[in-house]
Each structure stands twice: as C-alpha cells, then as structure tokens.
Amino acid sequence: MIGIGIIGAGDFGAAHARAIKQVQGLHLVASCRGNNDALAAFTSEHGGRGYTDWRKLLDDKDVDAVLIASPHHLHAEMAIGAAKAGKHVMLEKPMAPTAAACDAINAAVAAAGVKLMVAHLMHFALPCMAARQMLEQGTLGRPLVGSSWIIKLWMEHNRRDWHLRKATGGGMLLTAASMRSTASSGSWMTTSCR
C-alpha cells in the first residue's frame, strides 16, 4: 500500500481524497490544513491523521507521497520540502507562480530522486495526448507559436479570496491558464505563465 498525505485539505483535497479511495493500492494516511475545525471535519469524512503544520505531515513515516493542493504561492516551498523528505509529489496546477520557482522544484525533485507530477487534467485528454505524440514524433516539425483560448466560469463555488490576490493566487490567468513546457528530464510539466 502506498500511503498518501494531502497538504491542503480543502475542496480539491477532498476531490483527491475521494479518488484515492477508488484506487487499489493507495490509502490516505494524513491530511493537513491550518484550520483545526475544518481539518477535523475533513479527517472525520476521509480518514487519516490530521496535521495543522505541513512539515509535521512530511515527518510522518507512513506517508510515501504527498498531494499538494494549497494556495499557489506555497507550492514551491512545500514541494521542495516534500522532495527533501523523500516523498513523491503530486502538485496541483499551477506548478508555481514563477519559472524560477518551477526550476527550483524540478532541481529538488531531481536531487532527491523522487517523482513529480503536476495535476493537470489535460494530461489525459485524448486531443492533448494526440498533440503530444505528434510533437514528440516531429510530425509537425518544431512549434514556433502556440495559441490557446479558454472560456470559463471563474467564480465557481470553490474560489477563495486567495485565488484573487496576485501574491497568493494570481487570479484567473495563473489558476486556469497554466501552460505546458518541457522539463529538462524530457517529461511534460505544467508551469505557470510569467
């Protein structure tokens, strides 16, 4: 069994907790949230131990991998901490608010020898998978320009004040319009726009 820890036990953390229950070989060991009452409600519903400090969750020996679903400005520090603790990382998009922070995460993961996946549902959309295959095979040649359009209801039920602040969430562009890049390892990562 692979023990999972969720850092950011809110709406997206709950969606992941429900998904973890459906995957054979995974179990939720622990969750972290700063609000004690909300954390207690989360662990009551989904199980596992509760931590109000994400660093304590990383010290939990039963946690093999972490899912980070915290405000965007915390992603780099938490992902780097998880890598240094020897935990595999699934990181909600955007990977981080800046390219430098994304590079720091990639460096920490490489140094620790752990796996990193940015949770972007488009990784598994058939048109995106076909486009990736065409790009990797060189069918279209080297891309020079890309264009993407999005029409999205921004103020969904799960939007929080931190989503709207540039310092913590980056607004609609950083939250929903993450772009693709190729990491030095050759794997696809979701990074934020500069």
Side-chain angles (χ1 to χ4, degrees):
M1 277 293 228
I2 299 171
I4 307 294
I6 295 177
I7 301 174
D11 280 344
F12 277 95
H16 286 288
R18 289 188 295 272
I20 289 166
K21 289 179 183 174
Q22 303 299 314
V23 179
Q24 187 175 5
L26 298 182
H27 74 284
L28 181 60
V29 170
S31 300
C32 178
R33 186 169 178 161
N35 179 301
N36 280 318
D37 293 338
L39 178 62
F42 189 94
T43 56
S44 175
E45 180 177 350
H46 301 290
R49 292 182 281 283
Y51 295 98
T52 56
D53 183 339
W54 60 271
R55 292 166 194 87
K56 300 278 189 208
L57 183 143
L58 294 180
D59 290 338
D60 190 320
K61 302 296 183 206
D62 295 328
V63 173
D64 302 306
V66 295
L67 180 122
I68 300 172
S70 62
H72 307 152
H73 72 292
L74 302 173
H75 285 187
E77 181 183 11
M78 291 174 170
I80 291 167
K84 288 180 178 179
K87 313 294 185 186
H88 301 290
V89 179
M90 184 168 175
L91 183 59
E92 267 297 338
K93 70 169 182 62
M95 185 174 175
T98 66
C102 294
D103 290 342
I105 293 169
N106 282 331
V109 165
V114 297
K115 302 286 185 191
L116 167 67
M117 179 180 178
V118 178
H120 196 303
L121 59 93
M122 299 307 283
H123 282 299
F124 306 105
L126 292 178
C128 294
M129 291 169 58
R132 177 181 176 178
Q133 183 178 18
M134 289 175 18
L135 290 171
E136 287 175 345
Q137 292 173 346
T139 306
L140 298 176
R142 184 173 161 256
L144 300 176
V145 176
S147 177
S148 178
W149 293 78
I150 185 171
I151 298 172
K152 180 167 180 45
L153 174 64
W154 169 241
M155 291 310 293
E156 297 170 337
H157 76 280
N158 61 342
R159 291 289 173 245
R160 301 293 176 255
D161 289 342
W162 65 262
H163 282 106
L164 302 174
R165 289 192 297 272
K166 184 176 182 181
T168 56
M172 173 64 168
L173 184 62
L174 193 57
T175 297
S178 301
M179 63 183 191
R180 302 275 188 176
S181 78
T182 304
S184 59
S185 65
S187 61
W188 281 46
M189 299 285 179
T190 304
T191 60
S192 62
C193 300
R194 286 186 179 204

